[in-house]
Amino acid sequence: MRKQYRAHGLTEAELAGDPYTQFAHWFADAVNARVDEPNAMVVSTAGADGLPSSRTVLLKSYDHRGFVFFTNYGSRKGRELTERPHASLLFPWHPIARQVIVAGAAERVSREETEAYFRTRPHGSRIGAWASEQSSVVGAREELEHRYEELAARYPEGTDVPVPPHWGGFRVVARSVEFWQGRENRLHDRLVYTAAEGGWTVRRLSP
């Protein structure tokens, strides 16, 4: 299976002065192109044994400080990021033949930032954050649903659901950001921002 990419290319002259601004441009393009869930990204971490693990997570905010997502701190990714605070993020925008790949240090966001975001979540999602001991073994689906029902009875619709103490955000502070544009004959454009003293350097990589 092979697809020929015929997209317009990406030149150095088109790039914004920093990767966060460039990401904003490309993210808007993905939204306008109606890419399904353009904020979906693959988050990769590493365990103590050096083995990588990946999963799809939703980006919830970004600015010049970094890219933010939320999770259970006791989950596999939460534990791995706490022990080895480095991550890779991949935005796979296949319909427009683009990818963005971020590598950088991961840090926990403030509790205030977590609480502000948690209040925007649907009621059921807030209950779910309490009900699921993410990445732990569960004997049966019924156990999970039973925990959810108990919590839903404790916090009915319209009541305030507190933020679980084990739940919060991570911000990935970019050290490098690659913008990948598919081109014909597999001669893709790959332009990479790398953090440097006082700013960013940009290099073109062979496809």
Side-chain angles (χ1 to χ4, degrees):
M1 292 181 283
R2 183 176 294 275
K3 183 176 181 179
Q4 185 71 280
Y5 301 122
R6 302 185 185 279
H8 173 72
L10 177 65
T11 68
E12 287 83 347
E14 296 175 66
L15 290 178
D18 68 86
Y20 296 111
T21 302
Q22 182 62 34
F23 180 84
H25 295 330
W26 269 29
F27 187 79
D29 289 345
V31 171
N32 292 333
R34 300 185 182 278
V35 171
D36 189 38
E37 291 197 302
N39 62 323
M41 59 185 182
V42 178
V43 177
S44 298
T45 58
D49 53 7
L51 292 177
S53 61
S54 301
R55 72 289 290 162
T56 302
V57 176
L58 296 179
L59 175 73
K60 289 304 178 180
S61 68
Y62 67 90
D63 55 26
H64 283 72
R65 296 175 297 165
F67 300 85
V68 176
F69 66 92
F70 293 85
T71 188
N72 185 315
Y73 287 140
S75 66
R76 179 174 179 176
K77 61 182 171 299
R79 296 193 308 270
E80 291 184 346
L81 287 173
T82 297
E83 295 166 4
R84 284 160 296 283
H86 304 281
S88 174
L89 313 177
L90 167 65
F91 295 86
W93 296 327
H94 302 305
I96 56 175
R98 285 179 175 177
Q99 301 179 71
V100 178
I101 306 164
V102 179
E107 59 187 30
R108 292 190 182 192
V109 306
S110 69
R111 202 61 187 165
E112 291 75 19
E113 192 171 347
T114 289
E115 290 173 352
Y117 168 69
F118 193 76
R119 287 193 293 270
T120 71
R121 287 166 62 92
H123 180 262
S125 295
R126 284 179 276 169
I127 296 292
W130 280 98
S132 174
E133 297 177 6
Q134 197 174 94
S135 299
S136 66
V137 176
V138 60
R141 171 79 189 185
E142 289 74 19
E143 293 178 23
L144 182 63
E145 292 176 346
H146 180 65
R147 286 203 298 268
Y148 181 92
E149 290 166 1
E150 287 184 331
L151 287 158
R154 186 187 308 172
Y155 302 110
E157 189 78 42
T159 61
D160 181 56
V161 181
V163 183
H166 54 267
W167 193 94
F170 281 104
R171 175 177 286 105
V172 177
V173 182
R175 292 179 180 166
S176 69
V177 185
E178 176 179 335
F179 292 87
W180 184 101
Q181 174 68 71
R183 299 293 302 277
E184 284 188 287
N185 302 315
R186 294 301 186 262
L187 297 180
H188 312 308
D189 288 321
R190 298 177 60 190
L191 295 179
V192 182
Y193 291 82
T194 303
E197 189 69 30
W200 299 88
T201 60
V202 176
R203 296 175 300 163
R204 178 177 287 270
L205 301 183
S206 296

